Amino acid sequence: MGSLQESVRDKIFKEIITPHKYSSSSTPNGALGQQYKESQWKVLVLDKLATRMISACCKMHEIMAEGITLVENLAKVREPLPQLDAIYLITPTNESVSQLLSDFAEHGKWTYRAAHVYFTEACPDQLFTDMCRHPATKYKAIKTLKEINCAFLPCERRVFTLGSPTVFNAFYSPNRELNRINCLERAAEQIATLCATLREFPSIRYRAHFDQNGEFAQLVQQKLVAYKADDPSMGDGPNKERSQLIIIDRGFDPVTPLLHELTFQAMSYDLLPIENDVYIYKKESPTGTKEAEVILDESDDLWVELRHQHIANVSQKVTKKLKQFAEEKRISGKEGKEKSSVNDVAQMVKRMPQYQKELNNYATHMHLAEDCMREYQHKVAEICKVEQDLAMGTDSENERIRDPMRAVVPILLNANINVNEKIRIILLYILYKGGITEENLTKLLQHATIPMEDKVKIFNLQHLAVPVIQDGTRRKPYTAYHASNRKERVSEQTYQQSRWTPYFKDLIEEAVEDKLDQKQFPYLSGGARGAGRGTAPTSARTRYHWTNVRGQARTGPRLIFFVIGGITYSETRAAYEIGEGNKAWDIIVGSTHLITPNDHLENIKGLSEPVTTSNFEVMDPPMG
């Protein structure tokens, strides 16, 4: 099976970009589509979600090769190009549609000659009605209007997100009831477009421990039924009836998002200021030190190879590959020594400038690994052992820890350790104990001198159905994610400070082996495999006569895991560790957004914020 990014890329090119490269002309017998001539250049206009989607799976030179002369941001002021048609790829929201229509507000002064509009997902009825009443429709400015059913971000080959961090607030906050349903409806629609893009009509399962999971699963099912009605062949194919979508709340494993993870990708995003996958570092050049920017994505084969490896192996691997490259290209120098440095690579670039691109790539990952190790040694090395002991409930010798406070208190008293690091330790201690008394929590907060505004990062974890304060029974609640309730993985771990395995990996393995507990993870409405696959219902949108674009046919079943409220980089790694060696299932994992430990704490803190339009993103209301 191809990657998630390839599926989205193929859909965008096949159904949006490439068809506009050519214009059809009539043959002598009047038939259309038999002859084609290359049409004029066009402008591609994208809103925020579409920009991120295109950036994740398409290269600019590929787009330009298909007749696109310019890619524009819908939200920005753009130079009028009335001699060119524009292709709009946008979400069907009030904001994006208003910006589209403003380009054609005044007849005779249009920004572009015509508009070919592609919505990422189904357009709400009222919004469609408002468009029909606009002068742009009257004067036939809009030549194409389609829904492409692709409203998610294909971050990696096996990873997607909805690009919606605020769903966390809507789903878990007690203050969000008013806007909650609108936000979850949008998230369900986005997940349905993922399934439509992958040609899947999966059975839906959900974690029963958190009541709202079942409600959200119902919303997703409703959206899937609507897409199935538009395209009855969706989900057809060998073994496709076995495909499953498994919906999980973030409280299923509260430990993993708190730990310092020492594999390359997770460590980099946790310890370094990487924003939008851009790593910035200082590099030496003939003119002196300058700042360099590198995008960490799947176009970088070396990054893909290294990202899931333990940091202890990364520098050695880079040095080994650099040595192999130098030998192949017959570059002389010090590259044969056991460990190369960034300066060694710089000298090699001077000697062989024709290999500058490849050598700079090796230097980038050396820089990245060195930055990670520097942050680790200066800030978190002493914390990691305590974290692992609390998470596992045992020490590195596999002996039960008897007095965890002896290790916890010195960290809380250390003025050189920042607030979030201390909060992570406190939360891990609480999870280890299965909740603590308010009196004990107060003492811990005093030791750590946690500011008042940050204390909610601890208390608000209760909104994820995770015990923080003991209920008075002193009975430790059963937690499936606790190491003592899981299978041992001693043979898989070689590093004392990386003993914890995300519980997510257990769930994927159990699903692959058909051992996922049906009481804990029931099928929607008590169904089983293949449930709900009867005659397709009638579409609620066919009256619009819009074209719903089909994705490429695929074969074999898929397991799609969706975590509501953020997924960590260590959890996405599990999809590769299991999926790469599994021929029976294609494993895809996703969430509302990708999170680092600090992101997770900020999300938890946000559960106390009042509802405002500035901190809550939902599908916009109709234009009035």
Side-chain angles (χ1 to χ4, degrees):
M1 292 187 176
S3 73
L4 189 56
Q5 291 167 316
E6 288 171 352
S7 297
V8 175
R9 180 195 177 281
D10 291 347
K11 188 168 196 174
I12 289 171
F13 275 86
K14 182 180 178 181
E15 306 296 346
I16 301 177
I17 296 177
T18 302
H20 290 286
K21 183 178 181 180
Y22 302 97
S23 60
S24 59
S25 58
S26 297
T27 60
N29 62 9
L32 286 176
Q34 302 301 313
Q35 296 178 356
Y36 294 90
K37 61 179 181 180
E38 194 155 347
S39 61
Q40 291 188 21
W41 292 92
K42 291 181 172 62
V43 179
L44 179 63
V45 184
L46 309 171
D47 68 2
K48 183 178 179 181
L49 178 69
T51 298
R52 295 176 66 187
M53 186 192 310
I54 291 284
S55 298
C57 60
C58 302
K59 300 298 180 185
M60 188 60 68
H61 70 88
E62 297 173 334
I63 295 173
M64 296 296 184
E66 296 299 313
I68 302 297
T69 186
L70 188 64
V71 178
E72 294 272 46
N73 185 331
L74 177 67
K76 293 184 178 180
V77 176
R78 287 162 277 121
E79 179 185 355
L81 296 170
Q83 74 279 16
L84 299 181
D85 285 10
I87 300 171
Y88 290 79
L89 177 57
I90 59 177
T91 51
T93 63
N94 181 27
E95 181 182 11
S96 291
V97 170
S98 294
Q99 290 166 340
L100 156 69
L101 296 177
S102 68
D103 287 345
F104 302 91
E106 188 175 351
H107 187 54
K109 294 185 179 180
W110 292 349
T111 305
Y112 307 108
R113 183 171 59 190
H116 303 275
V117 182
Y118 295 85
F119 284 135
T120 56
E121 61 217 80
C123 182
D125 292 358
Q126 185 60 52
L127 192 56
F128 176 74
T129 300
D130 293 338
M131 288 182 66
C132 292
R133 293 172 179 166
H134 193 273
T137 303
K138 176 183 177 182
Y139 293 109
K140 300 182 178 179
I142 300 176
K143 302 296 184 182
T144 307
L145 188 59
K146 295 182 178 180
E147 299 167 350
I148 67 161
N149 305 337
C150 190
F152 61 93
L153 303 177
C155 305
E156 297 178 5
R157 286 175 293 153
R158 296 184 179 275
V159 182
F160 72 94
T161 76
L162 307 186
S164 302
T166 51
V167 173
F168 184 93
N169 297 72
F171 199 68
Y172 299 107
S173 174
N175 303 320
R176 305 282 175 171
E177 288 300 322
L178 182 63
N179 292 313
R180 179 173 170 273
I181 191 63
N182 290 335
C183 189
L184 298 186
E185 285 264 7
R186 173 77 201 287
E189 181 79 25
Q190 289 180 275
I191 293 172
T193 70
L194 167 82
C195 295
T197 297
L198 297 176
R199 312 288 302 133
E200 297 287 357
F201 188 64
S203 298
I204 299 179
R205 303 177 73 172
Y206 61 95
R207 194 173 87 102
H209 182 74
F210 198 77
D211 292 340
Q212 292 169 202
N213 291 338
E215 177 188 345
F216 183 66
Q218 290 281 0
L219 287 176
V220 176
Q221 178 71 8
Q222 292 169 14
K223 304 295 183 182
L224 283 175
V225 167
Y227 281 110
K228 178 76 169 176
D230 285 342
D231 181 5
S233 68
M234 185 173 125
D236 291 352
N239 291 316
K240 285 293 187 182
E241 75 282 352
R242 299 179 62 214
S243 292
Q244 297 177 35
L245 168 63
I246 302 172
I247 295 172
I248 307 171
D249 60 285
R250 184 58 265 177
F252 86 101
D253 174 7
V255 174
T256 296
L258 300 173
L259 296 174
H260 284 93
E261 165 68 49
L262 301 185
T263 50
F264 197 29
Q265 181 185 42
M267 190 177 188
S268 298
Y269 280 77
D270 182 12
L271 300 183
L272 305 178
I274 296 174
E275 297 288 341
N276 298 318
D277 301 325
V278 177
Y279 167 55
I280 301 174
Y281 66 99
K282 303 289 185 181
K283 63 177 292 187
E284 297 295 328
S285 69
T287 58
T289 303
K290 66 177 184 179
E291 198 171 76
E293 291 188 2
V294 177
I295 298 176
L296 303 175
D297 63 15
E298 298 212 325
S299 64
D300 182 348
D301 292 338
L302 185 56
W303 169 248
V304 171
E305 180 180 347
L306 296 174
R307 64 186 174 188
H308 297 145
Q309 297 192 26
H310 196 279
I311 190 66
N313 297 328
V314 170
S315 295
Q316 295 174 4
K317 286 285 182 73
V318 176
T319 298
K320 182 178 179 181
K321 294 186 72 66
L322 175 61
K323 179 181 178 181
Q324 291 174 343
F325 179 82
E327 289 174 349
E328 290 173 4
K329 306 302 179 183
R330 298 183 179 179
I331 305 174
S332 61
K334 301 179 181 179
E335 65 282 347
K337 64 183 183 180
E338 185 175 341
K339 185 175 181 180
S340 299
S341 68
V342 173
N343 289 334
D344 293 334
V345 179
Q347 293 302 316
M348 294 167 69
V349 171
K350 289 180 180 179
R351 293 194 299 274
M352 303 291 279
Q354 66 269 38
Y355 299 123
Q356 180 175 345
K357 180 179 178 181
E358 294 89 342
L359 292 171
N360 280 343
N361 193 33
Y362 290 116
T364 293
H365 292 289
M366 285 181 177
H367 267 291
L368 185 57
E370 288 174 2
D371 284 350
C372 284
M373 286 305 300
R374 187 180 303 112
E375 291 295 308
Y376 169 75
Q377 291 166 352
H378 290 175
K379 297 181 179 180
V380 300
E382 64 181 290
I383 299 175
C384 285
K385 179 186 183 302
V386 180
E387 287 181 346
Q388 289 294 311
D389 288 354
L390 291 172
M392 298 297 295
T394 57
D395 61 22
S396 57
E397 304 297 326
N398 204 31
E399 296 290 333
R400 186 171 67 88
I401 54 174
R402 301 186 182 280
D403 187 9
M405 289 300 291
R406 291 183 61 183
V408 168
V409 171
I411 291 175
L412 302 186
L413 294 175
N414 190 334
N416 295 322
I417 296 176
N418 68 44
V419 169
N420 273 359
E421 302 287 5
K422 293 180 180 181
I423 289 175
R424 288 160 72 171
I425 286 291
I426 292 173
L427 284 171
L428 286 168
Y429 174 74
I430 291 172
L431 295 173
Y432 164 75
K433 299 290 287 184
I436 60 177
T437 65
E438 288 193 51
E439 181 183 0
N440 285 341
L441 179 54
T442 299
K443 290 179 180 178
L444 292 175
L445 295 174
Q446 289 173 345
H447 285 316
T449 61
I450 304 297
M452 182 64 68
E453 64 271 17
D454 287 318
K455 291 180 181 179
V456 292
K457 295 176 182 177
I458 296 171
F459 289 101
N460 282 353
L461 191 62
Q462 296 174 105
H463 296 311
L464 278 64
V466 177
V468 174
I469 304 298
Q470 284 182 350
D471 59 9
T473 63
R474 296 183 63 83
R475 182 180 178 183
K476 191 172 182 178
Y478 174 81
T479 49
Y481 58 81
H482 197 279
S484 62
N485 298 321
R486 298 167 55 189
K487 71 177 183 180
E488 292 188 15
R489 296 180 180 272
V490 178
S491 61
E492 297 181 24
Q493 303 297 342
T494 57
Y495 298 98
Q496 293 183 359
Q497 298 193 5
S498 298
R499 287 172 282 140
W500 173 264
T501 298
Y503 181 48
F504 195 51
K505 186 171 183 178
D506 293 28
L507 297 184
I508 297 176
E509 289 174 338
E510 289 172 9
V512 165
E513 297 167 4
D514 195 22
K515 295 179 180 178
L516 199 60
D517 192 305
Q518 290 199 29
K519 290 184 178 180
Q520 295 181 34
F521 293 88
Y523 288 87
L524 194 62
S525 301
R529 283 185 185 151
R533 296 177 181 275
T535 304
T538 304
S539 172
R541 296 198 299 273
T542 51
R543 66 181 185 278
Y544 296 153
H545 303 293
W546 291 5
T547 303
N548 281 290
V549 181
R550 296 186 177 188
Q552 184 178 1
R554 308 295 293 276
T555 59
R558 280 191 175 92
L559 281 174
I560 304 171
F561 281 82
F562 181 76
V563 183
I564 307 170
I567 190 170
T568 69
Y569 291 95
S570 56
E571 288 166 334
T572 63
R573 187 182 75 247
Y576 293 92
E577 290 173 343
I578 301 170
E580 298 298 305
N582 188 286
K583 305 299 182 184
W585 294 89
D586 185 27
I587 299 170
I588 303 291
V589 300
S591 181
T592 47
H593 58 306
L594 281 160
I595 55 172
T596 65
N598 285 334
D599 293 334
H600 186 54
L601 293 181
E602 289 305 311
N603 290 339
I604 293 172
K605 181 180 181 180
L607 297 179
S608 295
E609 295 177 3
V611 180
T612 67
T613 55
S614 63
N615 65 15
F616 193 74
E617 299 173 7
V618 297
M619 181 72 80
D620 296 305
M623 295 186 296

